[in-house]
Amino acid sequence: MKRVKRLWAAVLALVLLAGCAPGRTEPLPYPEPAASEPGKTIAYVPLDDRPDNVERVVYLAESLGYALAMPEKVLYRTALDGQPKNFDSLQRGEPWSLFTWVLEQEAAGCDRYILSLDQLHSGGLVASRSMTGYDIELPGGGTVQVHSMLKKLLTALSADENNVVWLLDSVMRLAPTVGYEGGTLEDYNAIRAFGALPRRTLEGDALNLEDIGESYWWGPNGENLRSQTKEAGDYEAARRHVRSRDRKMTLSYVVQDTLSKPGYENFRLLTGIDDSSLEDCIQKNEIAYLRQGLRTDSEGKQLDWLLSGVDDLAFKAVARLYLDETGWTGARTAVTYLGGTEDRPACEYDFQPLTEIMEEHLAFFDLREADTAELQILVLTQPEDPDQMNAYRKHLIEALRDYRKARRPAILIDASNGTYGTVVYEALTRDTELGYLTAYSGMLDMAIVTGTALSHGVARYAVLKNGGGTDACDRAWARTLADSILKDFCYKGVVRNELLGYIRNDLGGDPNNFWAPDLDREDLLQRLEEGMKKETSAAIKNLERSRLITSLEPYAEKNWGGIALENYRFPWDRAFEIGMDIRLGEFQ
C-alpha cells in the first residue's frame, strides 16, 4: 500500500510540474512590440550599460505597461582600460549631453523620470569612484560646473507640477574599480582595507561635510590614518580616494539641499549603499549625514529613502512609481528563512543582517508581515549547520510545492552565496515549477538580491491584484523571471566557472577584461553559446511546462510557450555577467 501511495504521489508531482500544457509554442521573433500603453513613457538615464541597468529595467517597465525612453548608449557606456572608448576619448558617459537629453524629453512633454545621478554628474558608477574635480567638459570645448548643471536640471523639472521624478544616488563603496584608469588589484585591496577601518563617530553639529572629510583620516580613538597609510606606502592612493569621496558627498548634499526647498514635492530621492563592510567603516558618517536629510511629507510619509544596494536602484524606482500611480495600499506578506543564518550579514559586502535588509525593503514597498499572508517570500540562507544542508533544501522544495498547491504567489530569494553549490538549482529545476514563481533573485550580496527580487515580485503581484495586465505585460514579466533563473542557475552556477578556468589557465588572460591582454572574443562568445545551450536545457524545459499566474481576482493561469535564447554578449567584455535576448512562444 505504501508503495502505491508513493507511486501515486510521484505521478501527482509530475502532473503538477507539467501542468496541462497543450504543447510547446514556437518562440516568436525578437524584439516584439513594446508592452507600454500610449503616453506611459519614463525618461530613464541608466547608471551604466550593464544588463541590470538596461535590459532588465526595460523588461520590468514593460511588464507594468511603461516604455523606457533612453539616450544613445554611447552617452552612458563605461569602458574598462584598453577597451574601445566612447567618442574615441571617454571611458565613461558624457554628462553634458545627458543633461541636454533630459531637457529635450521635458520639452517634448515627458512627465515621468528616473535619473541616475552618478551618471549625470560623473558619467557612471565606476567614474564616480575616481573623479575628483567639479568641471564637466562640454562637447564643443570648455567646461561647466557640475553643481550649477545639477541645480539647473532640477529647477527645470520642478517647473512642471505634473512631473514625477525619481533621482537615484549612491553612497560610494570602499574602493575604486580594478581595471579602470589604471587601477590595480593591489590598489583595490589597499584602499578597501583603508576604507574598512573604523572611523571616529560624528554627531550633532559635527556631522557636517567638512568634518566628515576630516573623519576619513581618524580612527575612533584618535588613530592617525594618514600616518598609517604613509608608512604602508598607500598614502597617495588613499588621498585620491578621499578626494573622490569628498566630491561625491558634496554633490549628494547639493541634491538634498535643493530638494528641501518648496516645489520639489513630486521628487523622490532613492540612495543606495554600495558594497559595504562588516566593520564600522568609512561610510558610517556619510550614511548618518545623508539619513538626516531624508524628507517626509506633511503627513509623515517618507519621500526619500536610503537602502542597501545600488545595482537594484532602477528596479526599485520603476516598481515604486507603478505602485504609487495605481494607488497601492500595501499587502500582507510572510517571510520564511531557511538555513538559520538570517541574523547575520550574508557576505563581507553586506553591513546588515539579512533580517534588517529585508525589513527596510518591506517598509519601502509597504509590505506588512502577517501570519495570514497574501504574498509569500522564501529566503534560503547559508546553512547554520552544514550537515543539515539536505534538510534545508528539502524544506525549500516542500514550501514551494505548498505555495503552488495553495495558489499563493511566491518570491524566492537565494541568499546562500553559493554555499549549496549547484544542487539547489538542480533540485529546483527537477522538483518544482519555476515558471510559477512571482520573482526570483540570487547569486549576489543580499543587499542587491533583496531589492531585485522584491521589486519584480511586488510589482508583479500588484499587476495581478489590479487585474490590468495584458498579454504583452505578461510576456515582458516572463522575460524578467527567465533572465534571472537562467543566468543564475546556468551561467553563474556552471558556465561562468568553466569560462574562468579556460581564460586563466588555457589563455593566460584576465576574466575581468578581455582586452588586457587581447583575447579572441569570438571564441569566448562561441564557448558561451555552446555552454549555455547545454546547461539551460533542463531549466528551459521546466519553464516551458510551467504555468504562470495571470490574474488573482479572478484567479487565472496560462501555459508558458517555447523559449529560445540568442544574441549572447559580454556587456563589459568580462566574464562577470552576460547579456542575452529571450524569445518566447505564445502563452496558452
Side-chain angles (χ1 to χ4, degrees), residues 265-532:
E265 291 77 13
N266 288 345
F267 284 62
R268 300 291 182 268
L269 177 61
L270 175 59
T271 302
I273 301 169
D274 207 351
D275 292 351
S276 192
S277 167
L278 306 183
E279 309 300 331
D280 198 9
C281 69
I282 199 170
Q283 295 174 331
K284 172 179 61 176
N285 292 316
E286 297 173 337
I287 292 170
Y289 179 79
L290 295 175
R291 195 179 298 280
Q292 71 180 8
L294 300 179
R295 299 171 299 153
T296 57
D297 64 15
S298 58
E299 298 178 353
K301 181 180 179 181
Q302 199 158 334
L303 301 179
D304 304 328
W305 293 81
L306 179 63
L307 300 170
S308 293
V310 167
D311 289 333
D312 61 343
L313 286 174
F315 299 148
K316 287 186 278 207
V318 170
R320 189 69 240 195
L321 187 152
Y322 171 79
L323 296 177
D324 291 341
E325 287 194 352
T326 55
W328 175 253
T329 58
R332 300 187 307 276
T333 187
V335 182
T336 302
Y337 296 95
L338 297 175
T341 59
E342 64 271 16
D343 59 347
R344 66 204 73 172
C347 72
E348 62 180 328
Y349 298 107
D350 289 328
F351 77 102
Q352 296 171 296
L354 305 186
T355 50
E356 290 184 17
I357 293 176
M358 181 64 72
E359 287 168 3
E360 290 182 351
H361 282 81
L362 292 179
F364 177 77
F365 289 112
D366 291 329
L367 296 176
R368 304 174 298 276
E369 290 195 68
D371 294 333
T372 304
E374 309 163 65
L375 180 62
Q376 308 293 320
I377 302 174
L378 193 58
V379 184
L380 180 66
T381 77
Q382 295 188 39
E384 174 73 31
D385 181 357
D387 293 335
Q388 295 298 311
M389 290 176 66
N390 287 335
Y392 300 140
R393 186 167 63 248
K394 180 180 178 182
H395 292 161
L396 172 68
I397 300 300
E398 289 175 347
L400 289 174
R401 283 182 166 177
D402 287 344
Y403 300 154
R404 177 69 179 95
K405 185 177 180 180
R407 294 181 168 183
R408 295 177 184 170
I411 298 171
L412 174 59
I413 298 176
D414 178 9
S416 65
N417 275 282
T419 50
Y420 296 83
T422 60
V423 291
V424 167
Y425 301 145
E426 292 166 359
L428 288 167
T429 302
R430 183 183 63 248
D431 299 329
T432 68
E433 191 176 338
L434 295 172
Y436 183 80
L437 291 171
T438 308
Y440 161 81
S441 186
M443 291 292 286
L444 285 170
D445 50 288
M446 185 63 177
I448 299 172
V449 166
T450 304
T452 299
L454 292 186
S455 297
H456 289 79
V458 175
R460 178 62 182 174
Y461 175 78
V463 169
L464 297 176
K465 287 287 287 186
N466 292 337
T470 64
D471 183 71
C473 290
D474 290 343
R475 297 172 67 77
W477 166 79
R479 285 192 173 90
T480 71
L481 182 62
D483 189 89
S484 292
I485 288 173
L486 296 175
K487 284 180 179 177
D488 273 14
F489 287 25
C490 307
Y491 180 68
K492 295 176 184 177
V494 181
V495 178
R496 182 171 64 180
N497 293 330
E498 295 173 353
L499 277 173
L500 292 176
Y502 174 67
I503 293 169
R504 288 177 179 139
N505 302 328
D506 294 29
L507 303 182
D510 182 0
N512 295 311
N513 189 346
F514 301 160
W515 293 75
D518 196 1
L519 302 178
D520 186 341
R521 289 172 292 283
E522 290 299 323
D523 172 56
L524 295 177
L525 278 173
Q526 182 177 345
R527 286 179 175 270
L528 168 62
E529 185 171 353
E530 291 172 352
M532 289 293 284

Side-chain angles (χ1 to χ4, degrees), residues 196-210:
L197 293 172
R199 275 10 187 234
R200 180 175 59 193
T201 299
L202 301 179
E203 297 176 323
D205 292 340
L207 194 59
N208 59 69
L209 288 179
E210 183 177 355

Side-chain angles (χ1 to χ4, degrees), residues 42-301:
I42 302 172
Y44 173 51
V45 173
L47 182 61
D48 52 41
D49 56 313
R50 289 172 296 160
D52 274 357
N53 297 314
V54 183
E55 297 102 292
R56 297 194 66 201
V57 184
V58 171
Y59 294 160
L60 177 59
E62 289 185 352
S63 77
L64 304 175
Y66 297 114
L68 289 187
M70 289 187 290
E72 294 180 71
K73 183 178 178 179
V74 71
L75 297 179
Y76 60 84
R77 171 180 172 268
T78 294
L80 301 178
D81 291 346
Q83 298 180 358
K85 297 181 179 180
N86 302 324
F87 310 109
D88 298 324
S89 61
L90 291 176
Q91 285 187 250
R92 53 179 174 79
E94 211 287 283
W96 178 258
S97 295
L98 292 170
F99 163 76
T100 304
W101 180 85
V102 175
L103 293 182
E104 290 172 350
Q105 307 313 302
E106 177 64 9
C110 186
D111 56 11
R112 298 179 183 88
Y113 296 86
I114 297 177
L115 308 176
S116 297
L117 293 174
D118 285 316
Q119 184 65 250
L120 284 167
H121 63 55
S122 299
L125 181 64
V126 169
S128 74
R129 298 167 180 162
S130 62
M131 292 186 71
T132 57
Y134 292 91
D135 289 337
I136 295 297
E137 298 173 1
L138 302 178
T143 61
V144 64
Q145 280 278 301
V146 65
H147 306 72
S148 62
M149 186 181 76
L150 283 175
K151 288 181 179 179
K152 183 177 180 180
L153 179 62
L154 298 179
T155 300
L157 295 180
S158 69
D160 185 349
E161 63 181 12
N162 294 318
N163 283 341
V164 175
V165 183
W166 278 83
L167 302 174
L168 311 182
D169 201 0
S170 67
V171 175
M172 188 185 292
R173 75 179 194 181
L174 306 191
T177 303
V178 176
Y180 185 81
E181 294 187 345
T184 66
L185 181 59
E186 291 75 20
D187 294 334
Y188 171 86
N189 289 333
I191 299 305
R192 180 168 174 81
F194 167 74
L197 293 172
R199 275 10 187 234
R200 180 175 59 193
T201 299
L202 301 179
E203 297 176 323
D205 292 340
L207 194 59
N208 59 69
L209 288 179
E210 183 177 355
D211 285 343
I212 288 174
E214 186 59 25
S215 76
Y216 296 147
W217 296 108
W218 295 97
N221 299 311
E223 300 91 338
N224 188 332
L225 304 184
R226 280 191 181 89
S227 299
Q228 292 185 21
T229 57
K230 288 178 179 178
E231 291 174 4
D234 301 323
Y235 175 68
E236 287 304 320
R239 188 170 72 90
R240 177 178 174 82
H241 178 67
V242 163
R243 289 175 62 197
S244 296
R245 299 196 81 91
D246 277 331
R247 175 184 184 273
K248 185 73 171 62
M249 281 298 297
T250 299
L251 296 177
S252 294
Y253 162 76
V254 168
V255 173
Q256 280 199 337
D257 182 62
T258 302
L259 297 186
S260 68
K261 297 176 172 58
Y264 293 92
E265 291 77 13
N266 288 345
F267 284 62
R268 300 291 182 268
L269 177 61
L270 175 59
T271 302
I273 301 169
D274 207 351
D275 292 351
S276 192
S277 167
L278 306 183
E279 309 300 331
D280 198 9
C281 69
I282 199 170
Q283 295 174 331
K284 172 179 61 176
N285 292 316
E286 297 173 337
I287 292 170
Y289 179 79
L290 295 175
R291 195 179 298 280
Q292 71 180 8
L294 300 179
R295 299 171 299 153
T296 57
D297 64 15
S298 58
E299 298 178 353
K301 181 180 179 181

Side-chain angles (χ1 to χ4, degrees), residues 31-43:
E32 299 173 25
S36 60
E37 299 176 13
K40 291 189 65 175
T41 298
I42 302 172

